[in-house]
Amino acid sequence: MTKLDSKIPEGPLDKKWSNYKANQNLVNPANKRKLDIIVVGTGLAGASAAASLAEMGFKVKSFCYQDSPRRAHSIAAQGGINAAKNYPNDGDSVYRLFYDTIKGGDYRSREANVYRLAEVSNQIIDQCVAQGVPFAREYGGTLANRSFGGALVSRTFYARGQTGQQLLLGAYQAQSRQIKQGNIEMYPRMEMMNLVIIDGKARGIIARDVITGELKRFSAHSVVLATGGYGNVFFLSTMAMGSNVSAAWQSYKKGAAFGNPCFVQIHPTCIPVHGEYQSKLTLMSESLRNDGRIWVPKHKEDAERIRKGEITAGDLPEEGRDYYLERRYPAFGNLVPRDVASRAAKERCDAGFGVGNTGLAVYLDFKDSIERLGKDTIEAKYGNLFQMYEKITDENPYETPMMIYPAIHYAMGGLWVDYELQTTIPGLFATGEANFSDHGANRLGASALMQGLADGYFVLPYTIQNYLAHEINTPRFSTDTPEFDAAEKETSEQLISLMNIKGTKSVDTFHKKLGKIMWEYVGMARNMEGLKTAIEEIRELRKDFYANLRIPGELNDLNPELQKATRLADFLELGELMAMDALNREESCGGHFREEYQTGEGEALRDDKQYNYVAAWTFSGEGKAPEMIREALVFEEIEVKQRNYK
């Protein structure tokens, strides 16, 4: 039976990280050159980790399935990155960032990890400024800040609506410098297919060259997964279409525990679904909620007339509009956390007040802010976002309100890791969105970039040494071992098996069906009967998949359909585990909303006596039920109480 050891350091909360660093094992510079580290993924978490580890002297092998590290999904992040600099002098502090993050995650995250995240946040900004990241600045030259949901202060640093791209370019240039110096071997177009374990430790990977189809072996003293989240299990999401769970899932099947798989985030500010043949959804940055006001018609008859096209949003007078977030949550208004804003939008639309052709949309209106600040100011802050919206919808948001609706966005769940970011497999580490550690049941806006860079630049470079200090006498080893043979054989047989099904249905046919099951029963609202139905339907869909899938093309060639099929095979298994986890957690918290457990006002109702823990699931074998292990969450500095944003 797998045992969980969170390895939280002793001492007061604000001294834990300092104490850890003061007492950890280190690897001297001469020995660092003898140690190899595989880093899978080149987004913010992966690129920053690879660059930092190589800068320290380790030899790094970096992998991405894209044609360039710059294509990682981190470029899609728009709104900003949090840090407790308190530049606006509005009362922010490390403790307040820590508190907001714990509260925003509905008290389901590990206290020590979150405090460390807040503690290193300021270093991230200094690092990125030194790299030349073009953060927005005030007239006097100081870095600008704006507000995001779940906070009463302005702590979000940004580069218009393309913060993720600019931060990734900073990490990419640091990574490129180490590639040129020979400390990083870069392997683009190479997808991890399997984890290799030797004597109980992660010692390498099997990767597939996506151009030739060739399977290749790579060894190392440790493996770092920075492979992002699994929102594409829902098919329609704001994730890049190639984003997947496969590296993490294959590690789960080799013994790594998977933490809180049912905790996924619904983002409230996305462009609504517009048709059956749509393949992804587009995020409109949460930063828009700083100046945009969210509303629906106050009267159902007006909403019906808008849906029929008889009137437009501009025809409704002010007294006919319901600014429902400002009405329900006066303290935070339009800047409530994402899970709260998403459920409120769903509630209004389900009650018949939604707009758009489908009725599954609400308005995000900039009329008041344009009148107050001027169009030029709004354009300077959000111009590229407005341009993107107009290109997609053919509507001018300066003149008519945007239409938005919640969509799948982020995975708070992921591989279980301890304080050192190490999984339950020794030598296997997980960073960024690939792990579960920092966001609990709901991630606050602008915290994904913060966690990815914190893990890569300032956490993993310390903690991985605590493990590698015991590996300095382990020489570099050949991949010609029985363990590598077995892992490659297993992968090859799986690929051949998928190619040989030769049914009549495409990969997307099955993926869309899975997405509809997940959205209907494991989406914004869940209940016991729906979750049981989801488990049954996913199992039937998986049988159909292995009986009737058809993959065109060749095995040993560039074959995007085969890539999608391998990822979908993992999604079909993950989807069932997500439903099982949601069924087991008989409470509502953050993005996990069980309809049976809500307050009289429709808010999430936690059960802290029964469910104040991390659910870590372990693989028991094909066809066997997974085992769930609990990591109790202990709060020493925070009073656990019902969230209130009113």
Side-chain angles (χ1 to χ4, degrees):
M1 177 179 174
T2 302
K3 293 185 178 180
L4 302 180
D5 179 6
S6 60
K7 299 180 185 174
I8 298 173
E10 298 293 329
L13 185 63
D14 62 349
K15 297 291 190 297
K16 289 183 186 295
W17 182 229
S18 298
N19 290 343
Y20 177 90
K21 291 187 292 183
N23 294 286
Q24 69 169 108
N25 293 309
L26 296 174
V27 180
N28 79 37
N31 286 330
K32 287 189 177 85
R33 295 191 292 270
K34 302 175 184 177
L35 297 172
D36 295 334
I37 302 172
I38 285 174
V39 179
V40 184
T42 57
L44 287 178
S48 60
S52 300
L53 294 168
E55 184 80 40
M56 295 166 70
F58 294 106
K59 296 300 181 181
V60 177
K61 301 173 185 177
S62 179
F63 295 80
C64 67
Y65 63 77
Q66 300 95 338
D67 55 2
S68 165
R70 290 175 59 181
R71 297 289 299 277
H73 181 59
S74 295
I75 66 167
Q78 298 168 349
I81 177 171
N82 287 330
K85 286 285 194 182
N86 194 32
Y87 283 169
N89 197 30
D90 57 358
D92 203 8
S93 64
V94 167
Y95 185 87
R96 187 174 288 276
L97 175 53
F98 155 70
Y99 175 81
D100 287 346
T101 305
I102 289 283
K103 178 182 176 183
D106 217 353
Y107 303 94
R108 290 294 178 262
S109 47
R110 189 188 291 148
E111 194 180 57
N113 286 65
V114 177
Y115 193 90
R116 177 177 63 188
L117 176 65
E119 195 174 354
V120 304
S121 66
N122 293 339
Q123 297 172 259
I124 299 171
I125 304 305
D126 297 338
Q127 170 91 359
C128 294
V129 169
Q131 290 174 339
V133 173
F135 286 121
R137 293 180 180 267
E138 302 290 359
Y139 179 77
T142 56
L143 296 183
N145 288 114
R146 58 190 178 198
S147 299
F148 260 63
L152 292 174
V153 297
S154 294
R155 63 163 66 101
T156 304
F157 297 77
Y158 63 98
R160 294 190 78 187
Q162 46 187 240
T163 313
Q165 182 182 31
Q166 298 302 326
L167 292 172
L168 185 61
L169 289 174
Y172 171 69
Q173 68 187 15
Q175 184 181 27
S176 297
R177 178 173 179 271
Q178 293 303 316
I179 292 172
K180 184 176 181 180
Q181 292 190 356
N183 294 324
I184 295 178
E185 293 180 63
M186 187 67 230
Y187 295 94
R189 303 187 183 94
M190 196 73 70
E191 183 158 19
M192 175 180 164
M193 304 298 292
N194 212 337
L195 179 71
V196 180
I197 297 177
I198 300 177
D199 295 331
K201 297 179 179 180
R203 290 300 196 195
I205 65 171
I206 304 296
R208 180 176 181 271
D209 186 320
V210 302
I211 303 299
T212 67
E214 181 183 0
L215 295 179
K216 298 184 179 181
R217 307 176 180 191
F218 300 91
S219 64
H221 294 88
S222 66
V223 177
V224 178
L225 298 186
T227 49
Y230 49 85
N232 277 349
V233 68
F234 290 84
F235 187 69
L236 286 179
S237 79
T238 67
M239 305 291 288
M241 291 179 65
S243 298
N244 63 87
V245 75
S246 289
W249 194 250
Q250 293 307 315
S251 301
Y252 160 76
K253 297 179 81 170
K254 289 294 185 295
F258 208 103
N260 296 334
C262 79
F263 286 171
V264 290
Q265 180 170 82
I266 315 291
H267 197 294
T269 318
C270 300
I271 297 178
V273 175
H274 61 73
E276 270 298 309
Y277 299 101
Q278 193 167 349
S279 55
K280 88 174 293 293
L281 296 172
T282 303
L283 169 71
M284 299 307 297
S285 170
E286 181 178 319
S287 63
L288 295 170
R289 292 199 273 151
N290 272 284
D291 291 300
R293 301 180 69 193
I294 296 173
W295 63 275
V296 293
K298 188 174 291 186
H299 306 291
K300 283 187 180 180
E301 54 269 27
D302 288 335
E304 291 172 3
R305 294 179 66 196
I306 288 176
R307 291 195 292 269
K308 292 177 181 177
E310 297 175 358
I311 60 173
T312 67
D315 295 326
L316 278 189
E318 193 69 18
E319 59 270 19
R321 304 179 179 195
D322 177 18
Y323 297 93
Y324 57 90
L325 291 179
E326 298 172 31
R327 169 173 56 83
R328 291 176 59 175
Y329 308 101
F332 283 75
N334 294 296
L335 288 173
V336 291
R338 291 173 176 178
D339 60 319
V340 176
S342 295
R343 281 197 299 275
K346 182 179 187 297
E347 184 275 327
R348 288 291 80 193
C349 291
D350 288 350
F353 295 92
V355 297
N357 294 334
T358 63
L360 296 177
V362 299
Y363 288 126
L364 178 61
D365 197 340
F366 288 84
K367 179 176 69 72
D368 289 351
S369 59
I370 290 173
E371 291 177 356
R372 185 179 74 255
L373 302 172
K375 180 181 176 182
D376 290 346
T377 299
I378 296 299
E379 187 173 8
K381 295 171 73 173
Y382 311 113
N384 60 317
L385 296 171
F386 278 43
Q387 183 183 44
M388 181 172 69
Y389 181 87
E390 185 171 7
K391 283 186 175 181
I392 293 172
T393 65
D394 197 29
E395 292 185 353
N396 184 344
Y398 293 104
E399 299 174 359
T400 61
M402 289 183 180
M403 283 193 291
I404 58 170
Y405 193 70
I408 294 292
H409 178 58
Y410 187 90
M412 285 79 69
L415 290 178
W416 184 93
V417 293
D418 59 24
Y419 188 76
E420 297 182 331
L421 305 184
Q422 188 169 204
T423 70
T424 51
I425 298 176
L428 179 67
F429 294 78
T431 63
E433 194 177 354
N435 73 36
F436 89 100
S437 67
D438 291 359
H439 306 297
N442 173 65
R443 176 177 68 77
L444 290 185
S447 288
L449 307 186
M450 176 174 63
Q451 187 209 347
L453 292 181
D455 286 355
Y457 282 139
F458 299 110
V459 179
L460 186 69
Y462 287 97
T463 62
I464 199 170
Q465 290 191 75
N466 216 33
Y467 173 80
L468 290 175
H470 302 287
E471 297 294 322
I472 58 176
N473 292 322
T474 303
R476 289 189 170 92
F477 46 92
S478 168
T479 58
D480 187 17
T481 68
E483 292 85 356
F484 274 94
D485 290 342
E488 182 175 337
K489 183 174 183 288
E490 179 185 39
T491 301
S492 179
E493 289 175 350
Q494 290 171 345
L495 294 171
I496 292 170
S497 175
L498 288 171
M499 291 296 297
N500 286 341
I501 296 174
K502 298 190 184 305
T504 59
K505 299 178 183 178
S506 70
V507 178
D508 282 355
T509 297
F510 291 104
H511 201 166
K512 287 180 180 179
K513 288 182 179 179
L514 174 63
K516 288 182 178 179
I517 294 170
M518 295 298 295
W519 180 252
E520 179 69 22
Y521 302 116
V522 201
M524 291 180 66
R526 305 157 177 184
N527 59 60
M528 179 185 291
E529 290 305 313
L531 292 167
K532 290 179 178 178
T533 299
I535 293 170
E536 293 174 3
E537 291 190 3
I538 291 170
R539 289 173 178 170
E540 290 301 313
L541 183 63
R542 190 160 63 243
K543 292 178 184 176
D544 191 18
F545 172 81
Y546 284 108
N548 295 303
L549 173 69
R550 181 171 184 83
I551 303 174
E554 302 296 328
L555 173 64
N556 296 317
D557 200 353
L558 175 62
N559 193 334
E561 290 300 304
L562 176 58
Q563 281 182 269
K564 291 195 297 185
T566 60
R567 298 163 182 170
L568 180 56
D570 297 330
F571 279 142
L572 284 164
E573 296 177 358
L574 169 67
E576 182 179 342
L577 183 65
M578 291 171 66
M580 292 175 65
D581 188 37
L583 184 62
N584 173 77
R585 189 172 285 275
E586 295 182 347
E587 65 164 354
S588 291
C589 55
H592 168 65
F593 191 74
R594 284 283 297 266
E595 293 175 336
E596 307 96 321
Y597 308 102
Q598 53 183 300
T599 68
E601 297 176 321
E603 306 294 345
L605 182 62
R606 296 193 321 270
D607 182 348
D608 294 324
K609 290 184 179 179
Q610 299 293 327
Y611 296 100
N612 192 19
Y613 60 74
V614 177
W617 295 84
T618 59
F619 184 65
S620 301
E622 298 292 346
K624 297 180 181 179
E627 180 184 2
M628 195 267 281
I629 310 167
R630 295 170 174 81
E631 179 201 345
L633 293 171
V634 179
F635 295 93
E636 300 174 357
E637 296 289 332
I638 292 253
E639 178 189 357
V640 178
K641 56 186 178 182
Q642 179 71 31
R643 285 194 304 172
N644 184 356
Y645 291 98
K646 296 184 176 183

